[in-house]
Amino acid sequence: MSSVPPQPVPPLSQTMSRYLRALEPLVTPPELEESREGVQELSKRGGLGERLQGSLEKRAQRTHNWVSDWWQHTAYLESRLPLPVHSNPAMALPQQDYSNWKGQLGFAAKLIAGVLDFKAKIDNHTLLVEYLRGRPLCMDQYRQIFSSCRVPGPKHDHVMHFAGVRRPPTHITVVRNFQFFQLEVYNSDGSPLTVDQIHSQLLRIRSQSWKTDKEPMGILTSEHRNTWGQAYNTLLRDRINRESVCAIERGIFTVCLDAPVMRMSEERYTSRMAAQMLHGGGTYSNSGNRWFDKTLQFIVGEDGACGLIYEQATAEGPPIATIVDHVLDYCQHPETIRSPMVPLPLPKKLYFYITPEIKRDIEHAKQNLDILINDLDISCFTFREFGKSFPKKYKLSPDSFIQVALQLAYYRMYGCLCSTCESASLRMFRGGRTDTIRSATNEALRFVEVMEDPQAGAEMKLALLKEAIEAHSTYTEQALQGQAIDRHLLGLKLQAIEEGLSVPEIFMDTSYAVATHYKLHTGQVSARTDCVMCFGPMVPDGYAVCYNPLPEHINFSVSAFNCCAETNAEKLARTLVQALRDLQELV
């Protein structure tokens, strides 16, 4: 049993008052008044709110976690949008210092050995428990990341887990030139293959995957989920296809050996590399080298571009970052073990039988993915003027400092604040996933208004900046303790539906629509590695901003959709840089 407590259900009155406070900087006075009436209605003694709250508290007593399954379903498995860009986050790692296939396979062999070394810690129960603010974290997620895969379904998807079965998988999948291979990664005595053994197997895969297969099967997984679900059923009618798909889904993880991509100017390079990790760069590039449903895929390019992409229904950013840190440390100092002299079986090529119907599905998927890719505007940059040690020196939270700068940047572009979400980990609790830190606060609004007022003095600006940072830090602390509002609101709504009761009025008004239309979808992923995470916006007229604050610099990725005339990733990135400078000067 895990040593962490169950996730609490926050008090109803607390969530209601915090919800109204969260609406204040975002909605008009009449909209707020309507919500206030809805909140009063829901808070009545002996009313609907009290009944739903009681049901949630009972649910918390009888389940592993009262909200995580609901959250996984509503946030991920019920979403019908394509996984690339809309859902799967990616991480671009530092450019590796090789530029040919020999370096690529050498690095890939060390990387695979490093991941297996991490997995061994999970299997042997030697993975050290992580702590946050002095409290132990739930380690369940690590066990679910390996040997798992999302599977499309007609109304919602589901996740298959193979690590806990009687004979768990012992292979990974390697993709090169759109061709999939099943690679056994353990010797007959159960020991993992050595770096040299893996390297010799990758050479054999290379010699079996010369010509680019005409049909990139992996592209199908990039489709709208209903479309892919139908194609999946068509595909599985054939035995050969069934066996190949099953091998990919069961694999411990996937390694994508990407073809080199045309070099661009240095300043556009990280943005292009992030895009390659996020979606493969297009059907003429490496997008066919992916199986987007797979929980964990590492990408190793022939030109030194490296990274990963993961499926979010199962995995969260921080555990992925921990795996990456371990793997890159391992690649610097791989274990040198003498390889056993036994001959290894030839990696098994996975074949697909392609009917005219499947060929047509692939053509449609290619067109749709290229449209999506052309619509994504992504801008990655490194802010070098200071890192997280600067705010720390003044006893300010680096994350809150960056979030307030982001509010200022958005306000300068649009003259208002917008609903902003930042993920807070709930791993202090058993089976906890995330809740939302709402960064658009009353304090942030007061600060940005004064910051833009030429009459206001520096002292006042600084005082309000500190208040805004403090408000964000307090909200963060509440969220980490399981006392934020968003998962609780979701629970109340879904509990009403489950009991066949009328959905409370507060979920039907304009304010709730505004509050949950996150135009700023943000996330801090702290890795020791000099990497940056990236994902697409949550809404068509929004942005996604991800950042990794290192001691002396901060890596950012900003994305938006080209189809929206109002948004511009490059412009928000420039405005954010100026906002960070202005805050530094103020402090």
Side-chain angles (χ1 to χ4, degrees):
M1 251 330 252
S2 54
S3 57
V4 294
Q7 189 174 320
V9 180
L12 182 65
S13 58
Q14 171 184 293
T15 294
M16 292 296 108
S17 64
R18 285 180 182 174
Y19 173 55
L20 289 174
R21 198 152 61 243
L23 294 178
E24 286 170 7
L26 302 174
V27 301
T28 64
E31 288 165 350
L32 186 63
E33 194 44 50
E34 191 186 351
S35 297
R36 193 168 274 123
E37 285 164 18
V39 161
Q40 279 165 356
E41 183 59 35
L42 193 60
S43 308
K44 272 187 188 157
R45 292 280 310 259
L48 179 60
E50 216 168 84
R51 175 173 171 180
L52 296 175
Q53 180 73 5
S55 301
L56 287 182
E57 285 164 3
K58 282 198 194 80
R59 183 184 164 94
Q61 284 164 0
R62 64 166 203 270
T63 53
H64 186 64
N65 182 297
W66 65 270
V67 73
S68 287
D69 285 353
W70 270 345
W71 169 246
Q72 184 191 44
H73 252 260
T74 48
Y76 305 118
L77 301 179
E78 288 174 10
S79 168
R80 305 286 79 200
L81 291 172
L83 293 186
V85 177
H86 292 294
S87 183
N88 290 8
M91 192 187 267
L93 299 177
Q95 167 80 2
Q96 298 301 311
D97 57 359
Y98 64 79
S99 56
N100 56 27
W101 66 267
K102 287 178 181 163
Q104 176 190 29
L105 299 192
F107 179 74
K110 286 187 284 194
L111 180 140
I112 292 166
V115 181
L116 294 174
D117 184 64
F118 187 91
K119 183 177 177 290
K121 291 186 189 309
I122 299 169
D123 297 342
N124 310 332
H125 306 287
T126 55
L127 185 63
L128 294 175
V129 172
E130 293 163 21
Y131 285 81
L132 180 65
R133 318 266 162 119
R135 283 173 53 178
L137 297 182
C138 175
M139 302 295 280
D140 289 356
Q141 264 186 48
Y142 286 106
R143 268 192 288 283
Q144 293 160 4
I145 290 170
F146 297 107
S147 312
S148 61
C149 194
R150 182 162 164 171
V151 177
K155 288 201 168 61
H156 60 80
D157 295 358
H158 64 280
V159 178
M160 306 267 272
H161 292 281
F162 301 99
V165 299
R166 200 162 55 86
R167 293 176 60 192
T170 53
H171 71 275
I172 66 169
T173 319
V174 178
V175 209
R176 183 173 178 267
N177 283 338
F178 311 165
Q179 294 159 76
F180 288 79
F181 293 84
Q182 177 176 337
L183 171 60
E184 291 295 330
V185 286
Y186 292 94
N187 289 298
S188 53
D189 65 358
S191 63
L193 297 193
T194 64
V195 174
D196 289 343
Q197 283 178 308
I198 296 167
H199 188 246
S200 67
Q201 292 292 67
L202 293 177
L203 285 168
R204 292 165 93 174
I205 286 175
R206 185 171 184 271
S207 67
Q208 284 187 76
S209 57
W210 279 113
K211 64 172 186 15
T212 297
D213 250 3
K214 283 190 283 295
E215 298 307 332
M217 287 306 298
I219 291 278
L220 288 174
T221 64
S222 73
E223 264 287 19
H224 183 277
R225 301 307 290 172
N226 289 356
T227 313
W228 164 221
Q230 287 160 353
Y232 183 85
N233 292 338
T234 310
L235 195 61
L236 263 56
R237 283 187 211 135
D238 177 84
R239 187 182 58 82
I240 294 173
N241 295 342
R242 240 189 343 265
E243 286 173 4
S244 295
V245 169
C246 185
I248 295 168
E249 290 174 344
R250 286 176 56 90
I252 301 169
F253 56 93
T254 294
V255 174
C256 314
L257 298 174
D258 275 12
V261 179
M262 219 172 64
R263 280 313 292 253
M264 336 204 6
S265 65
E266 259 335 290
E267 78 255 31
R268 288 295 305 157
Y269 182 70
T270 45
S271 301
R272 202 234 63 212
M273 200 159 107
Q276 183 185 343
M277 302 309 147
L278 205 50
H279 49 58
T283 55
Y284 290 101
S285 190
N286 289 294
S287 295
N289 250 25
R290 307 281 183 274
W291 193 268
F292 288 107
D293 292 14
K294 193 69 190 146
T295 305
L296 186 56
Q297 301 187 88
F298 288 93
I299 297 152
V300 183
E302 199 175 303
D303 49 11
C306 289
L308 62 93
I309 180 168
Y310 66 93
E311 199 288 300
Q312 250 188 145
T314 306
E316 231 105 70
I320 298 288
T322 303
I323 295 173
V324 165
D325 283 336
H326 178 90
V327 169
L328 291 180
D329 287 348
Y330 185 97
C331 288
Q332 304 265 276
H333 311 284
E335 276 187 69
T336 43
I337 314 160
R338 277 207 43 204
S339 297
M341 292 313 287
V342 290
L344 294 167
L346 193 68
K348 182 181 169 191
K349 185 165 182 178
L350 303 176
Y351 288 96
F352 289 95
Y353 172 63
I354 293 172
T355 61
E357 193 181 351
I358 293 169
K359 188 169 167 43
R360 200 170 54 240
D361 288 338
I362 292 172
E363 284 312 310
H364 286 157
K366 283 177 166 177
Q367 290 165 8
N368 291 336
L369 182 60
D370 285 337
I371 290 168
L372 176 59
I373 287 171
N374 288 327
D375 192 21
L376 184 74
D377 174 22
I378 187 162
S379 176
C380 295
F381 64 98
T382 299
F383 179 80
R384 297 199 180 274
E385 293 170 40
F386 60 85
K388 63 181 174 187
S389 46
F390 170 74
K392 274 184 171 171
K393 194 168 81 179
Y394 295 93
K395 309 237 183 329
L396 302 169
S397 148
D399 182 54
S400 300
F401 192 88
I402 294 166
Q403 284 285 337
V404 172
L406 193 51
Q407 295 299 314
L408 178 60
Y410 190 90
Y411 185 80
R412 282 176 172 171
M413 277 177 75
Y414 298 99
C416 61
L417 295 189
C418 69
S419 195
T420 306
C421 66
E422 179 190 2
S423 282
S425 171
L426 291 178
R427 285 176 59 213
M428 278 187 190
F429 306 107
R430 190 174 67 207
R433 293 291 304 259
T434 60
D435 206 334
T436 301
I437 301 167
R438 291 181 162 271
S439 307
T441 58
N442 286 322
E443 292 83 355
L445 181 59
R446 274 201 295 278
F447 165 66
V448 297
E449 285 172 347
V450 166
M451 192 65 182
E452 293 309 275
D453 176 3
Q455 310 295 297
E459 273 172 34
M460 187 179 179
K461 289 177 180 177
L462 181 59
L464 289 176
L465 168 64
K466 285 182 173 167
E467 276 177 31
I469 288 174
E470 189 54 43
H472 181 272
S473 299
T474 304
Y475 202 113
T476 302
E477 196 51 51
Q478 290 168 353
L480 293 173
Q481 306 287 352
Q483 301 296 319
I485 62 174
D486 282 84
R487 297 302 168 268
H488 190 196
L489 290 170
L490 175 73
L492 292 165
K493 184 179 174 182
L494 294 181
Q495 187 63 42
I497 293 167
E498 197 163 283
E499 291 188 34
L501 301 167
S502 56
V503 172
E505 285 294 311
I506 62 164
F507 299 115
M508 308 298 189
D509 65 19
T510 310
S511 298
Y512 185 73
V514 170
T516 52
H517 185 84
Y518 296 110
K519 288 189 182 180
L520 277 177
H521 175 204
T522 73
Q524 165 181 259
V525 172
S526 309
R528 290 200 315 277
T529 309
D530 200 358
C531 61
V532 67
M533 205 162 243
C534 47
F535 37 68
M538 274 173 104
V539 294
D541 56 343
Y543 293 95
V545 182
C546 203
Y547 48 95
N548 180 11
L550 292 143
E552 300 308 321
H553 63 271
I554 310 166
N555 294 334
F556 282 98
S557 76
V558 179
S559 67
F561 291 117
N562 291 318
C563 66
C564 176
E566 286 82 64
T567 57
N568 180 328
E570 194 92 1
K571 190 176 177 194
L572 182 63
R574 284 199 307 271
T575 315
L576 178 56
V577 166
Q578 192 52 51
L580 286 163
R581 285 181 185 143
D582 293 347
L583 295 200
Q584 181 188 25
E585 198 179 312
L586 200 57
V587 171

